[in-house]
Amino acid sequence: MKHLNVIFLGPPGSGKGTQAQKLSSQGFIHISTGDLLRREATAASHKGQAILQIMRQGGLVPDHLIFELIDDVMIRHCGAPLVFDGFPRTLNQAAWLSSFRVDVACIFKISDAEALGRLGRRVMGLDGAIYDTERLPPPPGVQYLRRADDAYAIHIERLQQYREREAELCSFYARKGLLRTVDASQSCDRVAKQIETLLKLAGSLAEKKSARLAESP
Ligand code: AP5
């Protein structure tokens, strides 16, 4: 498949991380701002503690801190296919990324009720693997924990933060002709199949575009 840069937009619990992990096993670099921030929040520094506080309240971390983290990772993985998971989350973040080539922005559609149900069952392996205590339980002997922001009141706040910005972010990518919808309520395998189809289409569009550019005088 052609080298692509992909964005996953969607509410908490819609399965962005699960699908981004699948893509990382196919050679994509998975850039999750949530994971980068959780790592940063383990530091005893003032910055680390400030990030932890915001995440525990379900708020959004200020854009300038996000840009610092993302910039660093993008420089390290320059030239590799990237999947952005949970970034951009604000119009300012989307504008910041617009100097970078994005091939497709997948919006994960799911109801709040389904997302909340999933979040209530989520646990994480120490290696970052994502499990569901009922449908995809951690294998015996595997250690796991719940994320510090996996509590019902915080889920509600995170969903609200997301829904407030969803329409403007979708419009931003729709105007660029990059927005594609994923029915995230389906099973993990079916969602992965939808994404595979979207990426194939995006890949052939990108190939046609570069062929046209090569032909033009
Ligand atoms: P972040 O870590 O990005 O969380 P999120 O976007 O809220 O999304 P989640 O990770 O909760 O859900 P997901 O969609 O990845 O679902 P998952 O695959 O885990 O952000 C956390 C916080 O960091 C934010 O609140 C904010 O404070 C801060 N932050 C992050 N990015 C920021 C940014 N750009 N700007 C400012 N602040 C930022 O799946 C969920 C569960 O469902 C799992 O149990 C899984 O097994 C299950 N599941 C997945 N897919 C399916 C399926 N198809 N069917 C059934 N079950 C499924």
Side-chain angles (χ1 to χ4, degrees), residues 18-178:
T18 301
Q19 297 300 328
Q21 287 188 355
K22 281 183 189 283
L23 286 189
S24 74
S25 69
Q26 297 166 32
F28 281 81
I29 300 296
H30 176 189
I31 302 187
S32 156
T33 36
D35 288 346
L36 293 170
L37 289 166
R38 275 183 283 282
R39 222 164 293 147
E40 201 68 24
T42 58
S45 62
H46 176 72
K47 184 165 91 178
Q49 292 311 296
I51 290 173
L52 183 65
Q53 189 69 15
I54 295 169
M55 291 177 84
R56 285 204 166 148
Q57 290 169 357
L60 289 186
V61 173
D63 288 344
H64 70 275
L65 293 177
I66 301 292
F67 298 151
E68 261 176 46
L69 288 173
I70 286 268
D71 209 24
D72 185 46
V73 185
M74 286 174 70
I75 288 168
R76 263 190 287 132
H77 296 288
C78 177
L82 307 179
V83 53
F84 294 96
D85 161 14
F87 176 86
R89 256 179 162 92
T90 63
L91 270 187
N92 193 32
Q93 291 180 12
W96 183 87
L97 191 64
S98 59
S99 59
F100 182 77
R101 197 195 84 224
V102 169
D103 298 287
V104 58
C106 299
I107 169 79
F108 285 48
K109 291 282 187 185
I110 193 169
S111 69
D112 287 359
E114 173 72 8
L116 286 169
R118 288 183 186 178
L119 288 169
R121 297 189 303 270
R122 176 174 56 195
V123 289
M124 313 282 295
L126 301 185
D127 61 352
I130 303 168
Y131 298 106
D132 177 311
T133 49
E134 283 171 24
R135 299 175 189 175
L136 181 66
V142 166
Q143 283 188 291
Y144 59 87
L145 39 83
R146 269 179 82 73
R147 269 170 46 176
D149 59 351
D150 266 345
Y152 186 74
I154 308 175
H155 293 155
I156 298 288
E157 178 60 30
R158 284 165 51 203
L159 264 174
Q160 195 178 324
Q161 293 281 347
Y162 171 78
R163 295 290 183 207
E164 278 172 17
R165 295 166 180 82
E166 181 180 43
E168 60 191 25
L169 273 177
C170 287
S171 304
F172 183 92
Y173 286 108
R175 277 197 302 274
K176 290 178 180 287
L178 297 176

Side-chain angles (χ1 to χ4, degrees), residues 176-195:
K176 290 178 180 287
L178 297 176
L179 191 70
R180 302 289 179 270
T181 299
V182 170
D183 177 358
S185 68
Q186 296 189 351
S187 70
C188 286
D189 286 348
R190 280 173 181 262
V191 173
K193 201 79 203 151
Q194 292 179 56
I195 292 169

